[in-house]
Amino acid sequence: MENRSLVSIADHTREKIEYLIQMAQEFERRPNRHLLEGKVVATLFFEPSTRTRLSFETAANRLGARVIGFADPKVTSGTKGETLKDTIMMVSNYADVIVMRHYLEGAARYASEVAPVPIVNAGDGANQHPSQTMLDLYSMYKTQGTLDNLNIYLVGDLKYGRTVHSMLTAMRHFSPTFHFIAPEELAMPETYKKYCRDHGIKYVEHTEFDADVIAGADILYMTRVQKERFTDLMEYERVKDRYLLKLDMLAKAKPTMKILHPLPRVNEIEYSIDDDPHAYYFEQARNGLYARQALICDALGITLEDVKNDKTIIL
């Protein structure tokens, strides 16, 4: 049987990414459907989440599925010593697809190897976050009209940021130029820089963050410094306020430049920017609904043609 799990966006070709973007467009035109009526989607969140969990659950509900699962692992049998494998096998008895976030890198890959139903990775430690990447790609496509040859500036926590790691692997198909802007303590790991070199992805590293540095950006992708990833809180305090985006820093920005952020925001984007036309992070979060509808349907074997031919009307 074909394994339709989504563990890493690196598993997808350019054609598959463009296919999923087309599917997301169809869902944006009409998000409420009966395509998943009779299906059960399990959301297993071993790590806190607001946007990812709620958007996956909303995606399932708007497509007619039922949702089961948990947002707090303390209420599960894991507290009694149940292994991840046993939890996955047990939930597979009840659900048609499992959406899982876990604090351990590689947990989603392991789950996809043991589960009899598809696994959709909603984030595994500091490793990958492929569903966030799909909504990021959809947001970039909507705002720039293409994914090809973009100048993408990644700012902040590039060491632990699974969203930026996933984006690198996805954009290898589209000839981007990346600009890595981070303090030395949070620089892009050598593993991912090697990935760029091996795949012909151009990148430039910066430690400065000002209007001149970001003037060439098509996409300015901000990230928060993730306190929960640090074992040394003194190190966190040293870097948490190093790269803050202020309104006057947009003075030289391209008119079409958009600011993205996977959210939640702490203080890395000044609140006055929310009303600036460059700000796109709240629209980006809304795009997550359509992207995740596409991912759930794809995991369940529902095709783009099925979506286009769907004539159900929900008032």
Side-chain angles (χ1 to χ4, degrees):
M1 181 186 299
E2 180 185 5
N3 188 333
R4 301 193 65 87
S5 294
L6 173 61
V7 174
S8 169
I9 202 72
D11 298 334
H12 281 354
T13 62
R14 176 187 175 114
E15 290 71 26
K16 184 59 179 284
I17 289 171
E18 291 173 336
Y19 172 90
L20 289 169
I21 286 175
Q22 290 181 60
M23 193 181 287
Q25 288 177 312
E26 292 295 322
F27 285 125
E28 182 166 7
R29 293 186 187 103
R30 187 159 57 90
N32 297 325
R33 300 168 184 255
H34 289 298
L35 282 167
L36 298 187
E37 194 163 6
K39 299 293 186 182
V40 175
V41 176
T43 55
L44 310 187
F45 279 72
F46 294 87
E47 191 177 52
S49 170
T50 301
R51 276 148 299 278
T52 302
R53 181 175 63 85
L54 291 180
S55 64
F56 265 118
E57 292 182 356
T58 302
N61 281 314
R62 287 192 180 277
L63 293 174
R66 294 178 182 270
V67 178
I68 63 172
F70 56 81
D72 183 356
K74 293 178 183 176
V75 304
T76 73
S77 292
T79 60
K80 304 174 185 177
E82 184 173 68
T83 64
L84 176 60
K85 177 182 179 180
D86 285 1
T87 299
I88 292 297
M89 295 301 292
M90 181 273 297
V91 175
S92 296
N93 291 323
Y94 312 138
D96 299 286
V97 59
I98 295 173
V99 177
M100 187 181 82
R101 169 170 287 189
H102 203 280
Y103 50 86
L104 290 178
E105 296 183 19
R109 179 73 66 188
Y110 174 74
S112 73
E113 292 170 352
V114 301
V117 300
I119 300 291
V120 177
N121 182 7
D124 60 331
N127 185 30
Q128 295 281 320
H129 198 348
S131 73
Q132 177 70 44
T133 302
M134 273 311 308
L135 76 90
D136 291 343
L137 297 181
Y138 186 45
S139 298
M140 290 191 288
Y141 181 81
K142 284 179 63 177
T143 61
Q144 305 302 312
T146 183
L147 290 178
D148 288 306
N149 303 308
L150 296 179
N151 291 298
I152 303 172
Y153 287 56
L154 306 178
V155 184
D157 184 357
L158 309 187
K159 180 178 180 180
Y160 300 110
R162 58 192 171 198
T163 61
V164 298
H165 300 162
S166 286
M167 186 184 292
L168 287 183
T169 61
M171 287 301 294
R172 73 189 188 278
H173 304 297
F174 301 98
S175 301
T177 298
F178 281 106
H179 291 254
F180 302 151
I181 305 175
E184 183 179 342
E185 298 92 334
L186 295 176
M188 184 65 73
E190 181 59 33
T191 301
Y192 289 100
K193 288 190 284 188
K194 183 178 185 301
Y195 183 92
C196 289
R197 295 191 294 270
D198 290 346
H199 290 84
I201 301 171
K202 292 174 285 187
Y203 70 88
V204 182
E205 294 187 274
H206 307 266
T207 54
E208 296 299 316
F209 183 46
D210 55 34
D212 290 321
V213 169
I214 64 176
D218 296 307
I219 296 293
L220 183 61
Y221 196 96
M222 299 295 298
T223 66
R224 71 182 173 93
V225 176
Q226 302 174 81
K227 185 176 182 180
E228 65 271 23
R229 304 289 179 209
F230 282 79
T231 55
D232 183 346
L233 290 183
M234 291 184 65
E235 182 182 15
Y236 168 75
E237 291 295 329
R238 281 197 302 272
V239 300
K240 67 182 179 69
D241 295 328
R242 291 274 295 278
Y243 293 93
L244 308 182
L245 182 63
K246 300 182 184 299
L247 186 60
D248 60 7
M249 293 170 62
L250 303 179
K252 299 181 179 180
K254 294 181 182 181
T256 56
M257 186 274 279
K258 294 299 179 185
I259 303 164
L260 303 186
H261 192 307
L263 302 176
R265 163 178 58 180
V266 181
N267 65 339
E268 58 276 1
I269 299 177
E270 193 173 68
Y271 283 101
S272 60
I273 292 175
D274 293 355
D275 298 320
D276 188 272
H278 292 101
Y280 194 76
Y281 29 90
F282 294 124
E283 293 90 339
Q284 174 191 2
R286 184 173 63 241
N287 290 337
L289 169 62
Y290 317 124
R292 288 173 172 130
Q293 285 182 306
L295 293 175
I296 292 172
C297 284
D298 185 65
L300 290 170
I302 295 170
T303 68
L304 177 59
E305 286 305 307
D306 293 332
V307 177
K308 288 181 175 179
N309 294 331
D310 172 44
K311 304 302 182 185
T312 59
I313 298 176
I314 299 178
L315 300 177

